[in-house]
Amino acid sequence: MTAAFTPDKDKVQVGDTIYLVSEFPSTLTPIGSQAPVDYTNAATIGSAITIVEYLPNKERKWYVYDFDFIAMKGEAFNSTNIPVPEAAEGVRYVETNGKYEMKIAIVPKKKGNYAFLLSNAYSDSRAIKGKDRCDRATFSISLQNDHQASVALMEKWSDGPVGEQGNVYAFTVN
């Protein structure tokens, strides 16, 4: 599966809108398998966006409440059932016309240096030809944004290596 944050800029303004967009067909071929799997009527195919703010003193905090999340396709939600609800915003796909889609508008409410980390997707269950159920499935998401540019920003903000980062989008809010 692929996803992207758009527009892909390293600077935005308070009140600008950043979109997380993703779609994939209901039928996918699992990694290492030749047999396609139909995920029609899957329950809760979703992911999570972890938000890290890089503070001027080189510390980091995880805080989703610096942003408004508006679901245009799919769902955005904050769950208090997870250990640190201020760190991640849940997002879910919606199934329409043989594919799963998600478009989430994300609006920054304050200035700062941020990184969005998009987790791989999951599904709680799926129907198999309307009878059996598969308890869980996971889906690899490949973020189409420039990971190297984001890692370079994060290293600048933290004065050192941040390690290999995947599915990350870093930017400054002015």
Side-chain angles (χ1 to χ4, degrees):
M1 298 167 36
T2 61
F5 288 101
T6 65
D8 191 0
K9 296 181 177 179
D10 63 354
K11 291 184 180 147
V12 297
Q13 302 293 316
V14 169
D16 284 354
T17 303
I18 301 164
Y19 297 95
L20 170 60
V21 293
S22 180
E23 71 176 49
F24 63 93
S26 297
T27 300
L28 298 170
T29 301
I31 295 172
S33 173
Q34 297 302 313
V37 177
D38 183 0
Y39 290 96
T40 302
N41 297 321
T44 64
I45 294 181
S47 182
I49 304 168
T50 301
I51 298 180
V52 180
E53 181 181 9
Y54 287 83
L55 302 171
N57 61 1
K58 308 301 178 191
E59 290 183 15
R60 293 174 255 184
K61 79 172 187 180
W62 289 259
Y63 203 65
V64 298
Y65 305 127
D66 288 347
F67 296 84
D68 286 326
F69 293 84
I70 303 131
M72 303 179 80
K73 289 182 182 176
E75 183 180 359
F77 62 95
N78 190 264
S79 176
T80 56
N81 296 332
I82 63 175
V84 188
E86 63 274 10
E89 184 79 5
V91 291
R92 290 189 182 127
Y93 289 83
V94 62
E95 184 180 13
T96 55
N97 300 320
K99 63 184 173 182
Y100 284 91
E101 299 176 290
M102 177 173 47
K103 184 175 185 181
I104 307 295
I106 307 166
V107 182
K109 299 190 285 188
K110 75 177 221 43
K111 295 178 180 183
N113 296 318
Y114 295 93
F116 290 170
L117 293 95
L118 184 64
S119 70
N120 284 327
Y122 61 88
S123 174
D124 289 338
S125 65
R126 68 176 173 84
I128 302 174
K129 306 252 191 261
K131 40 186 169 166
D132 296 332
R133 298 195 67 79
C134 175
D135 288 335
R136 301 192 189 285
T138 58
F139 306 87
S140 176
I141 295 179
S142 175
L143 193 60
Q144 300 302 295
N145 298 85
D146 185 350
H147 303 302
Q148 297 298 7
S150 290
V151 168
L153 278 177
M154 294 178 341
E155 287 179 345
K156 174 183 162 187
W157 299 332
S158 62
D159 276 342
V162 295
E164 189 60 33
Q165 299 285 327
N167 287 351
V168 62
Y169 167 62
F171 58 97
T172 296
V173 179
N174 293 318

